[in-house]
Amino acid sequence: MDSFGIKTQIYFGSGALSRLKEIPYRKVLIITDPFVVQSKMIDLITKPLSESGITYEVFYDVVPDAPLDKISNGVKKFLEYKPEAIVAVGGGSAIDSSKAIRVFALKIDPYGEVGLIAIPTTSGTGSEVTSFAVVNDTTAKVKYPLVSERLTAEEAILDAELVKSVPPAITADTGMDVFTHALEAYVSTAHNEFSSALAEKAIEICGVFLLRAYLDGSDMHARQKMHVASCLAGLAFNSASLGITHSMAHQLGALFHIPHGRANAMLLPHIVEFNANINKHSRSQKEYLPSVKRYANIAHILGLSNYNEVMSVRSLVNWIQFMQKEMNIPLTIQEIGTITPDAYFAAVDKMAEAALADACTPTNPRVPTKEDIIKIYTKLWSF
């Protein structure tokens, strides 16, 4: 028996931040990053809280990739202040940090139920509606995905006002993260009718609005659409999980600090080819892997359909690489220019081991070997 549920109440559209005036908490801890504070974006959060007489303190010692030492600092702040709720404001790192801080702090002192309200400032991770969080052990250089219902936020507020100033490069990285979430959830071995419907809509929105948002950050219609697509994709993979694009991207982020969405985008064409097992002998195959049909469905949604499924999958791979080129996302590790071949290839074996052990790997549509993972990492270096 399967089940599907959405724990998080979602507020979206113009003026969604006004929900903060109505929240059922009187003492909140805002967890965010230094940019949100320095840019005065925090005022969009604190003003409605103040107008409703809600007391708050701000913890903004959050940095990218949610390192364990910063989470530890957040736990100390949480236990000193003892809020009724956390308001998490930021990208995936701020929201993931907030999830981990709440869970760890309440294990130390379970003084009561503490709510979590997630307010994303990027359109990418979908973390505001998922039971996942990724934390980073900077000493061991390993990223750990956490999975628990207790990580899920009670509320999410999606207001495009918070993403209109996101620069083009981050719009590109986070937008391709949305697309990867949706595509991996769609072909996951745990996919279902509900996750598939959510993934299809997220992909349709990406096909129409991602490039628009990248080319014109002031296009608020495109911004709001991508903000919703991020949430839809989050709901999809929260139900169906992900695959080895994420497993492998986690290692690239932990060891070489490649932004997560960018690492996903760079890996994705290679993973689609691997999962579909499309190669020069494909036309002589009597039958194809189940993922071929599902990838072909996605090609159809993007308007890429060809006269057979193999060509549709190839078109999907070409479309992903087209989007990378249009949005100046490197296609290879070599293009990044800051990673030496010696450092990269010395890490490949360790990255392959960690990717196989990653929590996202079991639902990949094709079971990879360590040699398969190494081959993909090797292809990613250069053409």
Side-chain angles (χ1 to χ4, degrees):
M1 180 175 67
D2 296 325
S3 68
F4 179 84
I6 300 174
K7 176 184 173 183
T8 309
Q9 182 72 30
I10 302 164
Y11 299 87
F12 64 100
S14 179
L17 284 171
S18 63
R19 166 61 187 167
L20 288 170
K21 295 180 180 180
E22 305 164 359
I23 59 173
Y25 309 105
R26 308 315 298 166
K27 182 182 182 182
V28 303
L29 177 63
I30 300 170
I31 297 180
T32 189
D33 58 67
F35 173 77
V36 169
V37 174
Q38 292 158 9
S39 67
K40 304 297 184 184
M41 192 187 297
I42 192 72
D43 295 347
L44 295 171
I45 310 302
T46 57
K47 185 180 177 187
L49 292 175
S50 297
E51 288 174 353
S52 294
I54 298 167
T55 59
Y56 62 84
E57 288 194 9
V58 181
F59 173 81
Y60 59 94
D61 191 17
V62 169
V63 298
D65 296 329
L68 289 173
D69 60 326
K70 299 296 185 184
I71 290 170
S72 177
N73 293 341
V75 168
K76 290 176 187 173
K77 177 67 176 178
F78 181 106
L79 293 173
E80 289 168 6
Y81 187 58
K82 293 196 172 178
E84 295 176 19
I86 289 175
V87 175
V89 185
S93 295
I95 296 174
D96 282 5
S97 294
S98 299
K99 290 177 173 182
I101 288 166
R102 178 174 70 157
V103 166
F104 295 153
L106 290 177
K107 280 189 175 181
I108 297 169
D109 183 1
Y111 65 86
E113 295 292 324
V114 177
L116 174 59
I117 300 168
I119 307 176
T121 59
T122 60
S123 304
T125 68
S127 185
E128 68 274 9
V129 289
T130 72
S131 56
F132 293 77
V134 178
V135 297
N136 188 17
D137 184 338
T138 52
T139 303
K141 295 188 175 179
V142 176
K143 284 190 174 183
Y144 296 105
L146 308 178
V147 187
S148 170
E149 278 299 313
R150 291 180 300 160
L151 293 169
T152 311
E154 279 68 38
E155 296 188 16
I157 299 174
L158 311 179
D159 196 319
E161 187 70 22
L162 295 170
V163 295
K164 68 180 183 182
S165 62
V166 172
I170 296 177
T171 299
D173 291 347
T174 55
M176 288 305 293
D177 198 18
V178 174
F179 183 81
T180 306
H181 287 154
L183 187 61
E184 289 216 293
Y186 191 73
V187 300
S188 158
T189 57
H191 74 261
N192 55 69
E193 288 85 350
F194 296 96
S195 65
S196 295
L198 292 160
E200 285 177 1
K201 189 61 183 178
I203 286 166
E204 179 190 320
I205 292 172
C206 288
V208 176
F209 292 104
L210 173 51
L211 203 52
R212 268 180 57 174
Y214 171 78
L215 293 171
D216 181 6
S218 63
D219 184 340
M220 292 305 289
H221 183 60
R223 288 288 200 191
Q224 184 64 41
K225 288 288 189 181
M226 284 304 301
H227 219 33
V228 169
S230 176
C231 186
L232 292 172
L235 290 169
F237 85 75
N238 195 52
S239 174
S241 195
L242 294 161
I244 59 170
T245 310
H246 273 76
S247 303
M248 296 178 68
H250 289 152
Q251 317 320 316
L252 292 172
L255 286 172
F256 297 109
H257 309 294
I258 300 172
H260 177 64
R262 186 174 304 176
N264 276 335
M266 294 169 69
L267 283 160
L268 191 57
H270 302 285
I271 306 299
V272 171
E273 288 180 338
F274 170 76
N275 285 341
N277 199 23
I278 296 295
N279 53 58
K280 61 185 178 182
H281 304 296
S282 292
R283 292 184 65 183
S284 62
Q285 289 176 228
K286 291 183 179 177
E287 57 183 63
Y288 301 110
L289 297 176
S291 60
V292 171
K293 183 176 180 60
R294 295 189 71 77
Y295 284 133
N297 288 346
I298 294 305
H300 177 73
I301 288 169
L302 292 169
L304 307 172
S305 287
N306 279 279
Y307 59 87
N308 64 39
E309 289 178 338
V310 172
M311 290 305 296
S312 292
V313 175
R314 291 196 185 282
S315 294
L316 175 59
V317 170
N318 291 339
W319 183 87
I320 296 165
Q321 291 176 327
F322 163 80
M323 291 294 283
Q324 288 177 261
K325 291 171 186 174
E326 288 295 300
M327 297 190 295
N328 291 309
I329 295 173
L331 271 71
T332 66
I333 299 294
Q334 191 175 39
E335 275 182 63
I336 294 173
T338 58
I339 301 167
T340 66
D342 287 349
Y344 182 73
F345 286 104
V348 162
D349 192 81
K350 178 185 176 182
M351 290 196 297
E353 289 276 4
L356 279 177
D358 191 278
C360 297
T361 297
T363 46
N364 195 69
R366 184 179 174 196
V367 178
T369 64
K370 182 179 175 181
E371 289 69 33
D372 292 327
I373 300 288
I374 288 172
K375 189 180 292 186
I376 295 167
Y377 275 133
T378 301
K379 284 173 67 178
L380 191 64
W381 173 256
S382 68
F383 285 116

